[in-house]
Amino acid sequence: MQPGHAGVQAPYYALYHFGTSGAAVAAATAGTIFTQMVQMEGPRSLYLGLAPALTRSVIYGGLRLGLYEPCRYVCNYAFESTNFAFKFASGVIAGAIATALTNPTEVLKVRSQMSTSRISTIRVLKKIIAEEGLKALWKGVGPAMARAGCLTASQMATYDEAKQAMLKWTPLEEGLQLHLMSSCIAGTASTLVTAPIDMIKTRLMLQRECKGARAYKNGFHCAYQVVVREGVTSLYKGGFATFARLGPQTAITFVVCEKLRELAGMTAI
């Protein structure tokens, strides 16, 4: 699908493009944040890290979803093809760039939520820079970029491909039913791709540092050891919990994003 303004003036198109994406992700993320934090820590916890969490959702979501289409158009221009492989690659690039740019907000969110005292996000930021240096705001950016790339690729490429296939082979037209069905397929694909990554990340994070040999040297070694010792299905431990979170979030994101694009006078994804 080629880009179109559909009545939107060129100077505002980029703003609407990234704005609708960010607002959609923020809407989907807000419900998950509120529910999890109230269940685990009580109503007071809603105020710990809320500002950086929503800021990250708007900026990160806007970049992650918003950069996908430009990347896809570049692939189309360079290779004259928009097959699934190029769509997946576009998602990987978009997710990685978005994470690299917004990693500081993720660090601030985690630090704010872990803080035992009520201090503002600005004070948390100043404390991190003063005690650990500016580079501390990009801690864990490598694994985060890898996961975000896989997540964005599986979500966007699958949603895009599923939507185009249903438009071509079924009576469905642009609308809620098409968007909901496509997003459910995308949510399932995202779970299949990211569940093993989350499991490996958890194993590595729980591994205690010691002077002797560690159980897992890196992510690839961890995956290999898990498959050899526990079987391939062990990579999907906690997969249902991942789908319970990611499935609805994906559906809300795309349905809201498509509606906002329609209201803004933009073409559908």
Side-chain angles (χ1 to χ4, degrees):
M1 184 182 297
Q2 296 299 318
H5 290 215
V8 180
Q9 295 181 5
Y12 299 101
Y13 189 80
L15 177 62
Y16 289 170
H17 179 69
F18 289 101
T20 53
S21 299
V25 175
T29 304
T32 304
I33 292 175
F34 293 163
T35 302
Q36 290 179 344
M37 292 179 69
V38 169
Q39 288 177 344
M40 295 173 62
E41 304 176 42
R44 176 181 172 274
S45 65
L46 287 176
Y47 298 95
L48 300 177
L50 181 59
L54 291 181
T55 299
R56 180 182 182 275
S57 295
V58 173
I59 301 175
Y60 168 70
L63 289 172
R64 189 169 69 87
L65 272 65
L67 287 173
Y68 169 75
E69 289 180 275
C71 291
R72 188 186 62 183
Y73 297 141
V74 170
C75 287
N76 185 32
Y77 178 80
F79 303 100
E80 297 183 351
S81 175
T82 54
N83 60 31
F84 185 79
F86 286 118
K87 290 177 180 179
F88 195 90
S90 299
V92 170
I93 295 171
I97 292 175
T99 299
L101 294 175
T102 60
N103 198 74
T105 59
E106 176 69 8
V107 173
L108 288 174
K109 183 192 74 172
V110 173
R111 294 293 184 91
S112 297
Q113 290 174 350
M114 292 177 62
S115 176
T116 56
S117 58
R118 291 187 178 183
I119 58 176
S120 67
T121 303
I122 299 299
R123 289 181 62 187
V124 172
L125 174 62
K126 290 180 178 179
K127 183 178 179 181
I128 293 174
I129 295 176
E131 296 179 358
E132 305 173 55
L134 189 63
K135 66 179 182 180
L137 295 174
W138 274 270
K139 282 186 175 180
V141 69
M145 288 175 66
R147 185 188 183 281
C150 291
L151 173 63
T152 306
S154 57
Q155 279 185 330
M156 296 301 301
T158 305
Y159 178 81
D160 193 348
E161 197 75 6
K163 184 179 173 184
Q164 296 307 314
M166 283 191 280
L167 282 172
K168 182 178 181 180
W169 300 108
T170 72
L172 292 175
E173 298 179 352
E174 283 289 348
L176 178 60
Q177 187 176 3
L178 175 65
H179 301 158
L180 186 60
M181 291 178 66
S182 300
S183 61
C184 286
I185 295 173
T188 303
S190 298
T191 301
L192 292 174
V193 171
T194 60
I197 298 175
D198 288 338
M199 189 281 295
I200 292 169
K201 181 183 70 173
T202 301
R203 291 285 183 98
L204 291 174
M205 290 175 65
L206 292 176
Q207 180 174 242
R208 292 180 178 275
E209 293 291 339
C210 59
K211 294 183 179 180
R214 295 179 299 174
Y216 308 121
K217 299 176 182 178
N218 50 51
F220 292 107
H221 183 250
C222 178
Y224 174 77
Q225 291 295 328
V226 169
V227 171
V228 170
R229 296 176 181 176
E230 305 172 42
V232 177
T233 56
S234 296
L235 292 173
Y236 287 92
K237 284 183 178 179
F240 287 110
T242 300
F243 180 76
R245 172 183 57 83
L246 193 56
Q249 186 176 8
T250 301
I252 294 172
T253 296
F254 284 117
V255 169
V256 173
C257 186
E258 293 279 24
K259 188 61 180 179
L260 290 176
R261 289 171 71 102
E262 178 187 343
L263 293 174
M266 300 172 63
T267 55
I269 295 174

